[in-house]
Amino acid sequence: MSKLLYILLSCIMAVLWSSAELKGQDFAVIDSLKKVNSTEQDPKKIADNYAIIASKFPLNNVDSAQFYANAALELSTKIQYKKGQAEAHFLISYNYDLVGDYTASIKHMKQAIQLFIAVGDSSYLSGCYNNLGALYSYGSEQKKSLEYFIKSIQIGEELRDSFALGQSYSNVAGFYEDLKEYSSALKYFKKGLEVDLHYNYPEDVAISQLDVGYINTKLLRYDDALENLQKAQTLMNTIKEPFYQIILYQRLANYYKETRDLNQAESYILKAQKIGDSYDYPLLTAETLMIKGEILLKQEKFSKCIDVVDSAIAQNMTINSKSTLHELYKHKADAYFGLGKYSRAYEFLLSSEKEKKSLQSEKVAEVLSEFEKAEALKEERARLQLQQELENQKTENTLIKIRSKLYFTILIAVFLGIVVLIAFYFYLLKQNHNKRLEKNYLLINHQKELLEKNYTELKENEKRLAELNATKDKFFSIIAHDLKNPFNTLIGISQLMIRNPEIKETEDFEELVHGMFQTAQSGHNLLENLLEWSRSQIGNLKIEPKQISLNEIFSSTASFFQETARAKDISIVLDKLNGEEVYADYNMVNFISRNLVNNAIKFSHKGSKIHIKAESKGRHTVVHIKDQGIGMNEEIIGRLFKVEHSIQKSGTADEKGSGLGLILCKEFIEKNGGEIWVNSEEGKGSTFSFSLPHSAN
């Protein structure tokens, strides 16, 4: 959603015409330049002045700005002034963007790029590519949009001085935000803010503060978010441009919406709407309607929400903007669900998924992955450059040593007849100098070794951190998905029963109650597994090993699952569990046994048997839990026990699971000095085996 707000191009206009010291709505500058043009003889200067005049009109006076931009283009074309043509095309593209004519805007921006390339002027190309990426971001060609933003960053970083670099960083951050990778989004939004603070254009700094505040809200850092919003509001009070005031009120409304202060949220979005009604900002109007719809949805004003969302969809269709349609359809689906119109809700949920797929999320993720690799290569090049500088320093020291020897030889030849005392003095001077060189040489070598060692450790830590982040992200995506499903089911069944009290008298009532029980039990099991996993990850899970009877553990487990097994006519058979013991934490072993037996029941066919037996192997006891269920193929076996490749497969009675239990089993077994493995064949059942030590020694 936020991407619509930080693709603004006004800072580029301020810098593009930096030859004029005044900015903004200073009509004195416009009048002065008109007067200059009435006597100016140089057509290039006249064209440049037309362009500056066009850039000085406020955002709500697009017609005047476009008139002078066209005048600049016409004159520049007539006199074959390519740089003037390029700047005029840039301005015309910008004005078309403001009124929502994106096809024309893209056409003129591409012409500007071709002309800037032709005249060899790289200073504006970063801004051009950034704007072109912004224009493509309105539609469904998100991959192309991202590629242009990355190209803008590459040019800006090569120049080491580009006013568009801050916006390009923010635009790339927007794609991370769309993928819900908020930490990465915050990283690039902050980079954009650093650039904007360097150039110190109030409009851009304010927008960047709003961006950082928005992501802090998504990360639940509400105090930080409020601080960013207040800084932006202070800057906006000096700008007093309706275009930016709308954006400020939108972001404040969004903040209070996320913090559940819906009255404040409604107050700010109405302010944004009131200003927007007085000006023609089609994209901001669509954004305002979308936020208003989200507030109404949280207020459970479902019918009003649908009307507002329909207006937002119509506005987006009018300006051919597709980047937020999937969110709007999702809001509409939620509203119909709130009204109990489930078929309509499902219809718009499908529309949302269709629009989301059209945004090329997978391709965007691939481009971002390549972008991150390129950023890593830049760091590697920086390291090699530092290494080269060290080598150059070594070479320079060697040359100093050689020169010193040469000077000494010349001095000996010239002053051969000089007294022995003076000759000895120079000899001592040389020796002392050589010692310093040797000391410097050893010091540099030592520093090089330390740098190489630190770099190796840094790369290893970076790799481990990337793996941990990938594992964490996948883990939370599993939890978010699997926790949402049971709650959605419980809410849906509960709403159905509340709104239809007569259903208690129907044959479906018992099935609904049973469904609620199964769903609640699935969610409870997932939460228990999550709690155990989180305790193990933060070190709060203490291991207290002792001698444990396996017969006691599995007898208790068989009793615990007696009713569950009986429901599927499954027998749990304890084979060879006479006196076998292990030295491990009792609660962990109990958890392991329950998870493995529960899985065996879940994936076993009705009327089958589950065999549990133990055997001694060396210093360990090995436990085998064999079922006669559906089994697994090699691909699924290879993905077990890995949080980044979680297995979410329904049981023979459509039981649900997250795959987290097996991951916890593996971790608990390894913490107690054992191993876990599985033998399985598709259609012929599975045997899960684990080993634990006999005793403490």
Side-chain angles (χ1 to χ4, degrees), residues 170-188:
S170 296
N171 290 329
V172 169
F175 284 93
Y176 281 112
E177 183 231 319
D178 287 344
L179 295 174
K180 303 194 184 309
E181 295 184 21
Y182 297 124
S183 295
S184 295
L186 183 61
K187 169 186 171 183
Y188 285 99

Side-chain angles (χ1 to χ4, degrees), residues 5 32 71 104 232 247 254 310 333 364 367 414 419 434 484 634 657 665:
L5 299 183
S32 174
I247 297 170
N254 183 73
D310 281 338
V364 167
V367 173
V414 173
V419 229
N434 285 344
K484 183 168 67 177
E634 290 296 329
C665 285

Side-chain angles (χ1 to χ4, degrees), residues 65-247:
Q66 195 73 310
F67 174 82
Y68 283 100
N70 283 324
L73 177 60
E74 183 178 350
L75 179 56
S76 296
T77 303
K78 181 179 179 180
I79 63 176
Q80 293 295 302
Y81 178 31
K82 290 189 177 180
K83 184 177 180 182
Q85 289 177 264
E87 293 172 350
H89 278 299
F90 184 96
L91 282 165
I92 293 169
S93 171
Y94 174 66
N95 292 327
Y96 275 127
D97 180 22
L98 287 177
V99 299
D101 190 345
Y102 305 124
T103 301
S105 184
I106 288 171
K107 173 187 173 183
H108 283 281
M109 188 57 65
K110 286 184 175 180
Q111 288 176 301
I113 289 172
Q114 290 175 355
L115 287 163
F116 278 128
I117 292 173
V119 298
D121 191 338
S122 300
S123 57
Y124 301 128
L125 278 177
S126 178
C128 289
Y129 282 120
N130 176 72
N131 291 9
L132 193 55
L135 292 166
Y136 275 111
S137 73
Y138 302 140
S140 59
E141 295 188 73
Q142 299 297 300
K143 178 175 177 289
K144 182 180 289 187
S145 169
L146 176 57
E147 288 171 343
Y148 280 125
F149 288 142
I150 290 173
K151 196 164 187 178
S152 173
I153 288 175
Q154 291 169 342
I155 294 174
E157 289 180 342
E158 286 175 6
L159 293 172
R160 296 187 179 181
D161 186 24
S162 172
F163 50 83
L165 188 56
Q167 285 190 336
S168 300
Y169 281 137
S170 296
N171 290 329
V172 169
F175 284 93
Y176 281 112
E177 183 231 319
D178 287 344
L179 295 174
K180 303 194 184 309
E181 295 184 21
Y182 297 124
S183 295
S184 295
L186 183 61
K187 169 186 171 183
Y188 285 99
F189 274 136
K190 284 185 174 179
K191 277 191 171 187
L193 177 58
E194 288 176 6
V195 175
D196 293 334
L197 287 170
H198 170 73
Y199 286 101
N200 198 28
Y201 291 110
E203 298 93 336
D204 300 318
V205 175
I207 293 298
S208 288
Q209 290 285 9
L210 291 175
D211 290 335
V212 174
Y214 177 80
I215 293 300
N216 276 328
T217 301
K218 288 294 185 181
L219 291 168
L220 308 184
R221 299 173 182 172
Y222 297 126
D223 291 340
D224 292 341
L226 186 58
E227 182 181 349
N228 295 128
L229 291 170
Q230 289 171 344
K231 288 179 179 178
Q233 192 167 16
T234 301
L235 289 167
M236 291 297 187
N237 290 336
T238 64
I239 299 168
K240 296 182 180 179
E241 169 69 55
F243 191 87
Y244 295 104
Q245 290 295 325
I246 293 173
I247 297 170

Side-chain angles (χ1 to χ4, degrees), residues 92 140 200 324 362 371 383 388 524 592 640 671 678 691:
I92 293 169
S140 59
N200 198 28
T324 58
E362 292 182 358
F371 173 64
R383 185 194 71 82
Q388 184 61 47
H524 180 262
I592 294 162
L640 292 176
K671 283 181 180 291
V678 61
S691 66

Side-chain angles (χ1 to χ4, degrees), residues 348 437 515:
F348 284 104
L437 287 174

Side-chain angles (χ1 to χ4, degrees), residues 34 41 94 188 245 314 388 420 474 512 553 656 675 693 696:
K34 287 180 180 178
Q41 299 298 315
Y94 174 66
Y188 285 99
Q245 290 295 325
Q388 184 61 47
V420 176
K474 183 63 180 178
L512 289 172
I553 288 285
K656 305 296 181 184
E675 296 179 4

